[in-house]
């Protein structure tokens, strides 16, 4: 038996999977939580702005050093039976390093400088820079942003680079490489500056035909082309290719064979599409965790407003991969869990279940529409049709009888309405959705959520049997790099994971949700399009 290692670097933890390359069976695994988590309020004793979301790259190294030996031990296999390795990572998650790929935050003198740290995908510190990029694009918006949903997100790489230039020139000066975290891991493993086409195409204004949009960069900031050339370039490696082989030093420290082929890094959500077995158009894959990404494939490049982007060959060679997203999904449920009344926390403790489970059970006892609530899910801004990280959330319809589980359910519904907006945008652009797949951590954690999504989207939802679809996708790329398969399509077919179940819509619920969705849409347009000054005013006041 031969195996491939897939490592999924998510928002809260890294998951290492050992997957049988002939059958797709998961032979062993290990989950390593990031010990510093997401650094959001303060770095050591220094306060950082609310919009910041940083991570410590040392936590990623922990995933390699602790997770790989633990997964190998769990699988009980000989390291010589490992034939390849793949990595997926959140994106755009930016690491700044010196010429030896050492992150600047590891330097003693930069230890307390937030700009030396990893800027996680949901770091929203570059809102001014994003607005400036959008402003510059106005004259030729179709040209520059046509394949990016006609918008720019502060979660992408170029705004983050400009933030570094504007807010921390001393760090930029010391930086040899600005890297996607996935590329950083792969570059350390193979000891070469390599860059994958996946994150580069989606998050850095690049396509294979034209390269980086240097003309656009010049107009945004005359220093930007040089910064990109000097610090963001590297040898291009495409999805499905081998980025290099594991160095002797790395293989010794990780307990793996020397010369092990390592695949080009892929974005976590995109990797899930491979892990779940989607290979063709008309399939919408929802990767549901802290956030949700909505992915589709198509032979043609269509202009879909509000999506994050479309890139050729970014998941399956020959097809355009499309991504859209919602910034707060699991994060929103955590927010509600943290606000649970004390008697709920006590009840959960007494019954030995999590507060999530308790709220889910109580909310499942309610009927759609019963509580008279509708929420807007913009607790971390909107990164789809409105693409505005400055938007704030809303809950309407509360009375003195509103219970916390009603609010929890309204949040679940709001995330499903947000997904319906995205699905409609795909369909209006000529990409019909016939099948909806759900994967990531949430579908198995929350059956109620899947019921709500089936009823609101009015589609059967196929739920992946594995919580770890991204890591399976990474292992599939590892198997292709290791030459077990000649193509990604063959590897996906050979290592396909089973589906757990299908949730079908219930017609009565569908009808009620059509009415609630109409209210959501009115609120969406009122606060997100026609009256954005309301949120802008609140933002100004809250930053005072
Ligand atoms: N029982 C649950 N019900 C709903 N959401 C949950 C539950 N347990 C955890 N979550 C949420 O799931 C998210 C983590 O999702 P997961 O897919 O495991 O990780 P990641 O986003 O790092 O890939 C967190 O935001 C958390 O709030
Ligand atoms: O933005 C992207 C992909 O483009 C993701 O990396 C981001 O949503 C994080 O995913 P998770 O919610 O941690 O699974």
């Amino acid at each position: 038996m031969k195996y491939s290692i897939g490592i999924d670097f998510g928002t809260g933890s890294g998951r290492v999977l050992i997957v049988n390359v002939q059958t797709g069976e998961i032979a062993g695994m290990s989950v390593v939580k990031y010990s510093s988590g997401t650094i959001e309020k303060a770095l050591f004793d220094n306060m950082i702005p609310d919009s910041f979301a940083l991570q410590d790259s040392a936590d990623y190294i922990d995933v390699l050093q602790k997770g790989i030996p633990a997964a190998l031990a769990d699988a009980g296999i000989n390291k010589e039976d490992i034939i390849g390795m793949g990595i997926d990572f959140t994106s755009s998650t930016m690491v700044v390093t010196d010429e030896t790929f050492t992150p600047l935050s590891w330097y003693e003198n930069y230890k307390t400088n937030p700009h030396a740290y990893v800027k996680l995908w949901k770091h929203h510190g570059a809102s001014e820079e994003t607005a400036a990029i959008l402003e510059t694009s106005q004259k030729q918006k179709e040209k520059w942003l046509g394949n990016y949903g006609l918008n720019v997100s502060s979660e992408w790489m170029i705004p983050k680079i400009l933030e570094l230039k504007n807010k921390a020139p001393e760090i930029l000066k010391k930086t040899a490489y600005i890297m996607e975290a996935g590329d950083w891991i792969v570059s350390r493993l193979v000891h070469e500056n390599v860059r994958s086409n996946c994150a580069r195409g989606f998050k850095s204004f690049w396509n294979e035909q034209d390269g980086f949009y240097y003309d656009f960069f010049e107009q945004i900031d005359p220093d930007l082309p040089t910064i990109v050339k000097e610090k963001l370039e590297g040898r291009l490696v495409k999805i499905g290719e081998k980025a290099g082989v594991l160095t002797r030093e790395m293989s010794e420290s990780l307990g793996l064979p020397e010369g092990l082929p390592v695949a080009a890094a892929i974005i976590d959500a995109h990797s899930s599409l491979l892990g779940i077995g989607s290979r063709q158009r008309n399939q919408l894959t929802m990767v549901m965790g802290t956030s949700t990404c909505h992915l589709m494939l198509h032979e043609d490049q269509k202009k879909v407003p509000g999506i994050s982007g479309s890139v050729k060959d970014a998941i399956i060679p020959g097809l355009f991969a499309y991504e859209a997203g919602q910034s707060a999904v699991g994060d929103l449920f955590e927010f509600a869990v943290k606000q649970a009344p004390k008697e709920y926390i006590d009840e959960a403790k007494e019954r030995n279940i999590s507060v999530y489970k308790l709220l889910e059970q109580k909310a499942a006892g309610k009927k759609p529409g019963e509580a008279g609530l509708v929420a807007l899910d913009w607790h971390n801004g909107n990164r789809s049709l409105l693409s505005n990280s400055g938007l704030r959330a809303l809950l309407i319809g509360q009375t003195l009888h509103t219970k916390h589980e009603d609010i929890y359910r309204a949040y679940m519904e709001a995330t499903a309405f947000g997904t319906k907006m995205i699905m409609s945008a795909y369909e209006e652009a000529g990409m019909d959705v016939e099948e909806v797949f759900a994967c990531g951590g949430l579908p198995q954690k929350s059956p109620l959520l899947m019921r709500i999504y089936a009823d609101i989207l009015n589609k059967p939802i196929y739920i992946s049997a594995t919580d770890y679809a991204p890591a399976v996708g990474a292992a599939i790329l590892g198997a292709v790099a290791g030459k077990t398969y000649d193509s990604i399509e063959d590897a996906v077919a050979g290592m396909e994971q089973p589906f757990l179940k299908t949730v079908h819509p219930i017609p009565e619920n569908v009808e009620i949700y059509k009415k609630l969705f109409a209210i959501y849409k009115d609120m969406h347009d009122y606060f997100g399009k026609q009256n954005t000054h309301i949120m802008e005013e609140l933002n100004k006041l809250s930053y005072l």
Side-chain angles (χ1 to χ4, degrees):
M1 289 294 171
K2 296 290 172 203
Y3 302 86
S4 173
I5 300 189
I7 310 182
D8 165 42
F9 289 87
T11 299
S13 58
R15 302 112 197 184
V16 183
L17 245 58
I18 313 281
V19 185
N20 181 315
V21 293
Q22 271 89 32
T23 63
E25 184 210 341
I26 296 169
M29 65 173 297
S30 163
V31 177
V32 181
K33 256 180 103 85
Y34 303 146
S35 58
S36 301
T38 301
I39 303 163
E40 282 176 304
K41 289 197 164 48
L43 180 61
F44 299 106
D45 288 336
N46 305 325
M47 296 301 284
I48 53 177
D50 275 357
S51 54
F52 276 34
L54 311 177
Q55 289 197 323
D56 185 347
S57 42
D59 288 343
Y60 308 147
I61 301 297
D62 256 9
V63 173
L64 298 178
Q65 285 179 340
K66 294 183 184 150
I68 292 176
L72 281 172
D74 186 40
I77 59 165
N78 188 333
K79 73 173 185 182
E80 303 308 330
D81 290 329
I82 305 281
I83 55 85
M85 181 172 182
I87 303 292
D88 71 77
F89 222 112
T90 63
S91 171
S92 184
T93 295
M94 180 180 97
V95 187
V96 287
T97 79
D98 66 12
E99 43 294 304
T100 67
F101 305 116
T102 303
L104 297 192
S105 60
W106 297 5
Y107 280 59
E108 199 52 41
N109 52 331
Y110 296 132
K111 219 174 149 182
T112 55
N113 188 327
H115 295 282
Y117 280 75
V118 174
K119 301 233 169 86
L120 187 60
W121 63 273
K122 65 177 176 172
H123 171 89
H124 288 159
S127 52
E128 284 165 25
E129 289 77 5
T130 306
I133 297 174
L134 205 51
E135 182 62 35
T136 309
S137 73
Q138 293 304 335
K139 277 177 266 159
Q140 288 176 293
K141 205 165 175 181
E142 190 57 44
K143 177 174 177 194
W144 302 127
L145 303 183
N147 295 328
Y148 291 92
L150 293 175
N151 237 320
V152 182
S153 165
S154 64
E155 292 178 9
W156 297 350
M157 177 59 95
I158 300 297
K160 283 181 168 127
I161 291 178
L162 286 174
E163 181 196 11
L164 193 65
K165 181 196 162 200
N166 295 339
K167 311 277 168 39
E170 73 289 4
I171 297 290
L172 180 65
K173 195 162 167 225
K174 181 71 196 168
T175 298
Y177 300 127
I178 300 174
M179 308 191 84
E180 282 285 346
D183 288 333
W184 174 67
I185 290 283
V186 171
S187 296
R188 280 182 70 95
L189 292 172
V190 305
H191 200 69
E192 189 194 339
N193 173 19
V194 287
R195 312 290 179 130
S196 157
N197 65 327
C198 181
R200 181 178 272 199
F202 273 98
K203 313 286 174 167
S204 294
F205 298 113
W206 174 93
N207 66 50
E208 199 178 359
Q209 208 179 328
D210 308 316
F212 283 109
Y213 294 8
Y214 279 115
D215 296 356
F216 185 33
F217 295 165
E218 179 70 41
Q219 290 172 40
I220 295 168
D221 183 317
D223 292 339
L224 190 54
T226 311
I227 297 171
V228 170
K229 262 188 204 119
E230 287 178 353
K231 302 176 198 279
L232 199 63
E233 286 277 15
R235 180 169 65 84
L236 177 70
V237 280
K238 292 180 63 175
I239 296 304
E241 290 177 358
K242 181 174 84 176
V245 297
L246 205 60
T247 61
R248 175 183 296 178
E249 198 190 337
M250 276 292 168
S251 60
E252 275 167 12
S253 86
L254 302 177
L256 290 172
E258 193 185 332
L260 185 72
V262 181
I266 184 167
I267 298 178
D268 57 350
H270 300 231
S271 185
S272 307
L273 202 121
L274 302 174
I276 204 165
S278 172
R279 269 163 286 178
Q280 64 199 49
R281 62 150 92 176
N282 300 344
Q283 298 175 328
L284 173 73
T285 300
M286 306 185 293
V287 190
M288 311 178 76
T290 308
S291 62
T292 294
C293 289
H294 311 76
L295 298 147
M296 289 195 76
L297 296 168
H298 206 282
E299 297 78 11
D300 306 323
Q301 189 161 36
K302 298 186 181 283
K303 311 269 185 214
V304 189
I307 62 163
S308 310
S310 58
V311 177
K312 189 148 191 263
D313 305 336
I315 304 181
I316 300 225
L319 294 176
F320 285 92
Y322 290 76
E323 179 194 335
Q326 285 168 280
S327 291
V329 179
D331 252 359
L332 181 48
F333 309 144
E334 184 184 352
F335 165 80
V337 161
K338 282 188 179 150
Q339 292 184 330
K342 183 172 177 318
E343 68 261 31
Y344 282 33
I345 297 168
D346 293 345
E347 186 183 337
K349 228 181 246 155
E350 232 167 72
R351 294 176 50 200
N352 202 19
I353 56 174
S354 69
V355 179
Y356 287 102
K357 263 276 146 307
L358 182 82
L359 287 174
E360 163 126 359
Q361 286 176 3
K362 288 181 187 286
K366 303 285 176 127
K367 292 198 187 67
E370 180 185 319
L373 293 179
V374 181
L376 283 179
D377 50 323
W378 298 343
H379 295 68
N380 198 7
N382 175 297
R383 80 162 191 221
S384 55
L385 269 73
L386 303 166
S387 194
N388 181 349
S389 60
L391 288 172
R392 303 169 79 95
L394 211 70
L395 176 68
I396 63 161
Q398 292 189 80
T399 70
L400 292 177
H401 301 291
T402 302
K403 295 269 190 38
H404 197 61
E405 58 270 28
D406 297 326
I407 297 175
Y408 192 67
R409 184 172 179 124
Y411 287 160
M412 286 185 164
E413 291 168 348
T415 65
F417 291 141
T419 290
K420 192 175 167 85
M421 296 290 295
I422 290 168
M423 191 176 85
S424 306
Y426 275 130
E427 291 191 315
E428 279 159 26
M431 295 169 66
D432 285 345
V433 175
E434 282 167 14
E435 294 178 305
V436 179
F437 297 146
C439 61
L442 284 186
Q444 297 216 31
K445 286 178 182 131
S446 173
L448 174 63
L449 191 68
M450 293 300 95
R451 153 73 24 239
I452 289 172
Y453 272 64
D455 293 341
I456 288 179
L457 301 181
N458 194 13
K459 302 268 180 206
I461 314 269
Y462 301 91
I463 299 172
S464 163
T466 170
D467 283 9
Y468 301 106
V472 172
I476 285 174
L477 295 178
V480 177
K483 298 259 178 282
T484 300
Y485 294 96
D486 291 336
S487 73
I488 295 184
E489 289 91 331
D490 289 349
V492 170
M495 296 168 74
E496 196 161 352
Q497 301 296 302
F499 282 97
L500 181 69
K501 60 177 174 190
T502 309
V503 181
H504 292 277
I506 298 174
E508 306 90 271
N509 294 352
V510 170
E511 288 314 308
I512 299 169
Y513 278 133
K514 279 185 187 159
K515 294 185 185 134
L516 290 174
F517 178 66
I519 299 172
Y520 176 92
K521 178 128 186 0
D522 280 351
M523 287 161 61
H524 174 279
D525 291 352
Y526 185 87
F527 289 100
K529 286 185 183 165
Q530 295 135 12
N531 293 287
T532 46
H533 66 275
I534 297 177
M535 304 290 185
E536 278 159 20
E537 197 55 37
L538 289 173
N539 279 334
K540 271 190 222 141
L541 287 165
S542 80
Y543 295 146
L544 283 182

